[in-house]
Amino acid sequence: MACLSPSQLQKFQEDGFLVLEGFLSADECMAMQQRIGEIVAEMDVPLHCRTEFSTQEEEQLRAQGSTDYFLSSGDKIRFFFEEGVFDKKGNFLVPPEKSINKIGHALHAHDPVFRCVTHSPKVQALARSLGLQMPVVVQSMYIFKAKVLCSAVLHLAWAPASRRGCLQFTPHQDASFLYTEPLGRVLGVWIALEDATLENGCLWFIPGSHTGALVLIHGEVVHKSEQNFSDRSRQAYTFHIMETAGTVWSPENWLQPTAELPFPPLYT
């Protein structure tokens, strides 16, 4: 089980993040990587990603389609690509698995492998040791963090219109785009599936972590990641949990529960 010790709880409260080494086994990490490979192999690339427009009006329509594709992804499994990975005919210029920036935002709900990890006894025990009474899972992402293909900046989760480009998160607080009243009710869970280093864009507040490490991220702690300048990817699975007891989820958040997918309870 993954209950936190009093010293770990204190460190999380003081620092706003906590690294738990070896949270998942190598086999558990490999299972998620293998499953994501199957999902990528079966993916249906959306038209707005493949099509190159020539007029200003058509470009505006494309931008609107891209924004809608993002904003309506909270209850679906959708693909978000790096910039410049398609030619004018919509063919891949790089291998498909190296073209994807991330997959989001409901892997936890629709895929059995990721649902199993998200609702695992270890994660539930972790949440209980943090005192969460009625937590729900609000969103999940599989981040590829491939080698830099371009110099653009991506600020995906809270700037959907500019979501295409290399994955570099500038300093931010998760609570700025997953806002609750009161604050402090959102918890990020970030699981490294490959070694995370300074060279391949580890999280800003981590000098270096290893395969299977889990990072708890307080919704209000400032953090970032840099671009990946190495020859290795830095894949990770991350999801956010919200304590619902006494909490109001802002109607202004881009991510909203739907009739098809209310935020599922973490505890099963």
Side-chain angles (χ1 to χ4, degrees), residues 81-101:
F81 297 89
E82 298 285 1
E83 188 173 10
V85 297
F86 298 104
D87 63 19
K88 292 184 178 181
K89 295 182 179 180
N91 300 311
F92 282 105
L93 295 172
V94 298
E97 66 274 11
K98 295 185 181 298
S99 70
I100 303 175
N101 184 293

Side-chain angles (χ1 to χ4, degrees), residues 20-47:
L20 301 177
E21 299 284 2
F23 186 83
L24 296 184
S25 68
D27 288 342
E28 288 173 313
C29 292
M30 183 61 68
M32 282 193 281
Q33 289 178 290
Q34 290 178 342
R35 178 56 188 145
I36 214 68
E38 295 169 357
I39 291 173
V40 170
E42 299 168 358
M43 72 177 172
D44 181 21
V45 180
L47 183 62

Side-chain angles (χ1 to χ4, degrees), residues 77-120:
I77 297 176
R78 286 187 167 173
F79 304 90
F80 302 91
F81 297 89
E82 298 285 1
E83 188 173 10
V85 297
F86 298 104
D87 63 19
K88 292 184 178 181
K89 295 182 179 180
N91 300 311
F92 282 105
L93 295 172
V94 298
E97 66 274 11
K98 295 185 181 298
S99 70
I100 303 175
N101 184 293
K102 79 165 194 173
I103 298 176
H105 289 92
L107 284 163
H108 63 280
H110 297 307
D111 185 85
V113 172
F114 291 95
R115 181 169 59 243
C116 183
V117 171
T118 306
H119 296 273
S120 67

